[in-house]
Amino acid sequence: MKQLSMKNRKSMTGFMFILPWVIGFLLFTAVPLSYSLYLSFQDVRITPAGIQTTFISFENYEYAFGMDALFTQKLLIFFREIVVSVPIIIVFSLIIALLLNQKVRFRMFFRTVFFLPVIIISGPVIHELMDQGVTSIPSIEEYAVFQTLLSSGEGFLAATVIYLMQNLIMILWFSGVQILIFLAALQKIDDKIYEAAKIDGASNWECFWKVTLPSLFPMIIVNLIYTIVTYSIFSLNPVIEHIQDNMFRTDTGFGYASALSWIYFLLITIILFISVLLISLRGRKKYA
Amino acid sequence: MTSFVAKIRRGNKTYYKNKSKKLLFGTHGSDGLMMKFIVYALLIGIGFVYLYPLIYMGSYSLKSLDDILNPLVNWIPSTLYLDNYQQALSVLNFLPTFGQTLYVTALPALIQTVVAAVVGYGFARFDFPIKRILFGLVLATFIIPPQVTMIPQYVFFNEIGILGSVMSFILPALFGQGINSAIFILIFYQFFKMLPQSLEEAAQLDGAGQARIFLTIAIPMAGPAIIISFLFSFVWYWNETYLASIYFGNAMTTLPLELQRFVATFEQMNQGGGEGGGSSINEGIKMAGTMLTILPLLIIYLITQKWFVEGVDRSGIAGE
């Protein structure tokens, strides 16, 4: 009996520790989340008497997809960017991590270099750098392939390639944290597994596919989520700019902006869900 | 060729037999000279491309207008030209802005760290009903874009009258809902999980309460986690312009925000000055402004980079 009450007391203390978070979650996340969902079904007018709302059912959503051509266009751009960038970031950070996992000298120096962008990446700084055109690989535009693409710049594929060429460094700059996550995971793989594989006659190439990659598999999912989230909430993102523009416009206002942000939120969740599902299905088939 | 290289290596010879297959991905035993060369070439090459925007920024910020226009001057300016920095300093209104940025960055970062430590400790060391669900919710908050909760928060902050003050950053941080709070809670969670149970039991036998155990045993041992969380918080708050511009309005400003309106401020200043004719904005001045915005972060990073790099290790997300 006494044991039980001790246990209860302890779990009460534990709850006290997380209480700030619980309050904060309700106050700054759960309530705002539901309130913005509520606003997204309303026509919101700001009057001197306060905020006035009228229920308009799905009109905001219909407007977003039916009338607001800019929004659907920007969603498409965002979607294209994420489909192109995320795999590049993951593969690039994996390669860099593999390189750094070799017995290289100055490893600390290189890690410092590759992590640097995480420190300085912010909307205005990137904006200035993009303005200067330094976000593309130096002098890449002189290459013939690129020029033919630019001149025939039509269609989805060409636009994608051009986007990629012009922003490659920026895309790579998103991979700082991911490199370190991969590197940490690589260093935790037991050397004995490699030795065993070597004795069985596996080449390095085979070792990579059959030992390294499966061991990294959980980290690939972690990095995938991290990349998609950080990429989609970065402030230069076209959709986010659009939401922000709409927030303070008098004719559309909070209601419409709420609807837009909810659409965006759902879209990100769907992208996250599908990509994690896809990669785990593939992973299970291969590595289990 | 490859077998020759293999011979001059001191290592195990049979190791290098099917060298041709040993590609980039040979994580283990790739000690051949060729391999080394390729690894370094790749690292340096990619590193250069990676840093190219920064090198460009540094170089341009030191160029006079003549140097910028002169196609012969490529990377190294012909003279050390500091005028750009002088102009950028005054456009950014550097010192006051810097002070304000520090204020609205360090304070929320500190509070966020403290709260994350408390909450992380609660999750790591105690058992209570629905703990798993709550912890799942902590992680889930990471994927919610700030845009979704921002409008109601704005309305709410407006109501309680803390818009335009640092409180609009502090209040969410105080309740574990600051920028990327979920990550910091996770870091502390992982850290406190590793502390041996026996320490806690020993303290309990000596009659220490839970609060005392937390303050006198857990916290002093959590030094690395505290530093890491504070640094990451600091950097993320510093670079946050979206929330800052909305919550602070015109009442407060930060260096990144000033950079955002750099050109506008510059033009305003030069019109107001009247006789300042002839000086118009150029890349050099803009790059100097950008440089000044990130300079404090760069300095902090150079001093503390060990913590940043280890931070990701310590966060424990890389398995255990």
Side-chain angles (χ1 to χ4, degrees):
Chain A
M1 188 61 199
K2 208 180 166 201
Q3 197 75 23
L4 194 77
S5 74
M6 262 268 286
K7 216 176 153 193
N8 266 340
R9 246 189 51 204
K10 205 179 167 202
S11 67
M12 268 312 287
T13 334
F15 197 74
M16 292 310 284
F17 270 98
I18 64 158
L19 194 62
W21 181 85
V22 175
I23 297 171
F25 176 74
L26 293 174
L27 211 59
F28 295 110
T29 303
V31 170
L33 213 56
S34 13
Y35 188 57
S36 81
L37 185 63
Y38 164 81
L39 282 184
S40 72
F41 294 107
Q42 311 281 330
D43 183 37
V44 183
R45 299 262 163 237
I46 297 175
T47 58
I51 292 173
Q52 248 147 37
T53 57
T54 35
F55 181 68
I56 51 166
S57 140
F58 279 98
E59 250 174 66
N60 281 327
Y61 290 89
E62 278 162 19
Y63 185 82
F65 287 113
M67 310 286 277
D68 193 349
L70 216 54
F71 180 63
T72 36
Q73 195 192 334
K74 285 186 172 174
L75 269 187
L76 272 178
I77 294 174
F78 163 72
F79 190 68
R80 187 178 70 206
E81 283 181 9
I82 211 149
V83 168
V84 177
S85 313
V86 171
I88 290 180
I89 293 170
I90 302 278
V91 172
F92 175 78
S93 49
L94 182 60
I95 291 175
I96 296 292
L98 284 170
L99 286 175
L100 288 179
N101 196 40
Q102 314 274 337
K103 296 184 193 86
V104 287
R105 242 169 260 198
F106 313 117
R107 182 198 279 170
M108 202 60 201
F109 167 77
F110 282 118
R111 286 208 293 193
T112 309
V113 166
F114 285 108
F115 197 70
L116 183 62
V118 179
I119 311 295
I120 57 168
I121 207 160
S122 75
V125 169
I126 301 300
H127 188 81
E128 283 300 322
L129 291 174
M130 277 175 154
D131 254 11
Q132 299 294 316
V134 282
T135 53
S136 61
I137 291 210
S139 67
I140 197 161
E141 298 193 15
E142 288 156 23
Y143 291 107
V145 187
F146 189 68
Q147 279 188 341
T148 25
L149 260 172
L150 265 183
S151 53
S152 70
E154 287 293 318
F156 191 75
L157 193 70
T160 311
V161 175
I162 289 171
Y163 164 75
L164 193 64
M165 291 299 179
Q166 284 175 343
N167 295 289
L168 194 58
I169 296 181
M170 276 317 102
I171 297 173
L172 298 186
W173 269 23
F174 276 94
S175 49
V177 171
Q178 289 88 324
I179 292 173
L180 293 185
I181 291 178
F182 275 140
L183 195 58
L186 278 174
Q187 280 164 357
K188 280 182 184 120
I189 302 177
D190 196 346
D191 265 343
K192 288 193 187 110
I193 304 174
Y194 288 105
E195 277 161 28
K198 284 278 157 58
I199 290 168
D200 286 347
S203 66
N204 276 339
W205 178 254
E206 280 167 326
C207 273
F208 170 74
W209 290 102
K210 301 231 163 94
V211 178
T212 314
L213 209 53
S215 323
L216 285 182
F217 187 65
M219 291 310 109
I220 296 179
I221 294 183
V222 168
N223 275 340
L224 189 70
I225 297 171
Y226 184 84
T227 311
I228 293 175
V229 170
T230 43
Y231 201 85
S232 12
I233 62 174
F234 189 60
S235 64
L236 283 188
N237 183 306
V239 184
I240 286 187
E241 280 175 345
H242 190 71
I243 295 174
Q244 199 174 7
D245 286 347
N246 270 288
M247 200 174 145
F248 292 107
R249 266 176 48 189
T250 40
D251 56 330
T252 50
F254 284 180
Y256 185 55
S258 297
L260 292 185
S261 60
W262 262 92
I263 294 171
Y264 188 54
F265 179 31
L266 290 179
L267 185 78
I268 295 172
T269 317
I270 292 170
I271 292 176
L272 271 174
F273 186 72
I274 290 177
S275 45
V276 170
L277 193 75
L278 275 180
I279 201 149
S280 7
L281 279 182
R282 264 191 76 88
R284 193 153 309 148
K285 211 164 54 186
K286 264 191 166 156
Y287 305 129
Chain B
M1 174 65 195
T2 44
S3 67
F4 169 72
V5 175
K7 259 175 210 149
I8 44 175
R9 300 297 307 165
R10 61 193 142 82
N12 185 342
K13 266 117 201 153
T14 49
Y15 223 59
Y16 296 96
K17 264 198 176 144
N18 44 7
K19 190 95 176 136
S20 52
K21 275 191 199 161
K22 272 172 193 153
L23 279 157
L24 178 76
F25 303 97
T27 331
H28 282 250
S30 49
D31 269 325
L33 262 188
M34 276 290 274
M35 202 59 218
K36 268 236 146 105
F37 176 75
I38 294 172
V39 168
Y40 280 111
L42 276 172
L43 279 176
I44 293 169
I46 298 173
F48 172 73
V49 168
Y50 215 67
L51 291 185
Y52 171 74
L54 288 179
I55 302 167
Y56 179 97
M57 192 197 299
S59 152
Y60 261 67
S61 66
L62 291 170
K63 279 182 182 178
S64 65
L65 194 57
D66 290 338
D67 277 355
I68 291 173
L69 297 176
N70 185 348
L72 293 175
V73 180
N74 210 352
W75 285 105
I76 300 158
S78 58
T79 52
L80 193 64
Y81 183 77
L82 292 175
D83 252 29
N84 291 333
Y85 279 96
Q86 229 157 39
Q87 298 228 29
L89 277 175
S90 68
V91 173
L92 289 172
N93 194 10
F94 189 76
L95 276 180
T97 314
F98 175 68
Q100 250 179 28
T101 317
L102 213 56
Y103 175 58
V104 302
T105 303
L107 214 55
L110 191 69
I111 291 167
Q112 161 141 299
T113 307
V114 171
V115 174
V118 173
V119 175
Y121 187 79
F123 276 115
R125 309 299 290 193
F126 297 96
D127 242 334
F128 42 86
I130 63 165
K131 185 176 115 167
R132 286 181 158 273
I133 299 174
L134 288 178
F135 197 60
L137 280 177
V138 171
L139 299 183
T141 55
F142 178 61
I143 67 162
I144 300 173
Q147 286 69 36
V148 188
T149 52
M150 199 187 58
I151 294 170
Q153 279 190 16
Y154 178 82
V155 175
F156 176 55
F157 288 167
N158 190 24
E159 215 112 291
I160 58 176
I162 58 170
L163 281 180
S165 89
V166 71
M167 276 311 281
S168 51
F169 265 12
I170 288 180
L171 208 60
L174 195 59
F175 290 100
Q177 309 291 321
I179 297 169
N180 288 335
S181 267
I183 293 182
F184 302 116
I185 293 176
L186 187 68
I187 289 177
F188 279 107
Y189 172 81
Q190 294 284 0
F191 199 89
F192 287 134
K193 242 204 146 135
M194 290 187 303
L195 291 186
Q197 195 75 41
S198 52
L199 260 178
E200 197 180 320
E201 280 158 9
Q204 244 162 358
L205 283 180
D206 288 346
Q210 290 298 341
R212 252 194 80 188
I213 295 175
F214 174 68
L215 286 175
T216 56
I217 297 178
I219 287 293
M221 291 182 80
I226 293 171
I227 296 174
I228 290 157
S229 297
F230 177 74
L231 288 175
F232 269 97
S233 282
F234 185 87
V235 164
W236 280 332
Y237 269 108
W238 184 288
N239 285 329
E240 176 57 61
T241 51
Y242 183 64
L243 294 176
S245 68
I246 285 172
Y247 290 160
F248 295 157
N250 293 323
M252 288 217 279
T253 186
T254 67
L255 279 175
L257 281 178
E258 282 302 305
L259 182 66
Q260 208 161 33
R261 34 178 181 257
F262 193 78
V263 179
T265 319
F266 183 89
E267 275 159 9
Q268 214 175 17
M269 280 174 73
N270 277 6
Q271 269 170 13
E275 90 285 7
S279 82
S280 61
I281 194 129
N282 63 44
E283 286 92 344
I285 302 172
K286 278 208 277 186
M287 287 294 104
T290 315
M291 201 71 187
L292 284 174
T293 308
I294 63 169
L295 199 63
L297 293 177
L298 280 181
I299 293 170
I300 291 173
Y301 180 56
L302 286 183
I303 299 170
T304 60
Q305 43 101 358
K306 184 175 140 253
W307 294 105
F308 277 100
V309 173
E310 274 174 13
V312 180
D313 248 336
R314 296 261 186 187
S315 67
I317 27 184
E320 213 73 60

